[in-house]
Amino acid sequence: MLIANLLPLLHRYSLGFDLVAGPDDTVTLTVIPRRIEGGKGSLEAGEIRPISITASAAEIDAEFARGTDGALGQLIATRKTLADQIADQRAAAEAAKAASAEAAKTKAATAPPKPAPSSTSPQPSPAALPAEAKSNEPASLW
């Protein structure tokens, strides 16, 4: 039942296990996802975070017996969904980046050259006072 429940993870990751006996007949099972040798792409930190379960051996066995309805099955399904969403987002970002670059090339190729700015129009001096301002009074915004 353990391997059948972990099969969805095995399609994407190589898995390591750590099994430790604790007090009062408890057991801690840690499943450590790793990048598959020769696998393409990088994994996000959340994808390779270990899954740790601490309970009695009978409770862990019972959770595995529940299959996809058990805690581990639901966690694996959630991780697979998140990994798929991350892959979709990466693909969408790459597609948008390529489309943006293509649009910029097209725009640059079809845009007419900009005319040089004309220096014949007089520019107002920033220090010049408005016509209604008096030199001995502060300027009003109203």
Side-chain angles (χ1 to χ4, degrees):
M1 192 55 78
L2 172 66
I3 303 304
N5 282 324
L6 294 176
L7 196 55
L9 282 178
L10 284 172
H11 291 294
R12 183 162 170 87
Y13 313 101
S14 172
L15 299 176
F17 295 94
D18 188 26
L19 193 58
V20 178
D24 301 327
D25 292 329
T26 60
V27 177
T28 299
L29 170 66
T30 304
V31 180
I32 306 159
R34 298 184 190 126
R35 186 171 175 237
I36 295 176
E37 285 187 34
K40 56 185 175 187
S42 63
L43 301 176
E44 297 291 324
E47 289 183 87
I48 58 175
R49 188 175 191 160
I51 301 168
S52 186
I53 302 170
T54 301
S56 71
E59 291 170 329
I60 292 174
D61 286 342
E63 275 302 310
F64 285 134
R66 291 181 62 200
T68 57
D69 293 332
L72 184 63
Q74 291 176 0
L75 181 62
I76 290 169
T78 300
R79 281 200 176 185
K80 184 176 183 323
T81 301
L82 290 174
D84 291 344
Q85 287 175 358
I86 290 169
D88 290 347
Q89 288 295 321
R90 282 184 181 154
E94 287 299 319
K97 188 176 181 182
S100 176
E102 185 62 34
K105 285 180 187 177
T106 304
K107 184 177 178 182
T110 59
K114 293 183 180 180
S118 171
S119 61
T120 58
S121 61
Q123 297 292 328
S125 166
L129 294 174
E132 61 274 352
K134 297 178 184 169
S135 63
N136 60 351
E137 294 180 8
S140 172
L141 297 175
W142 316 121

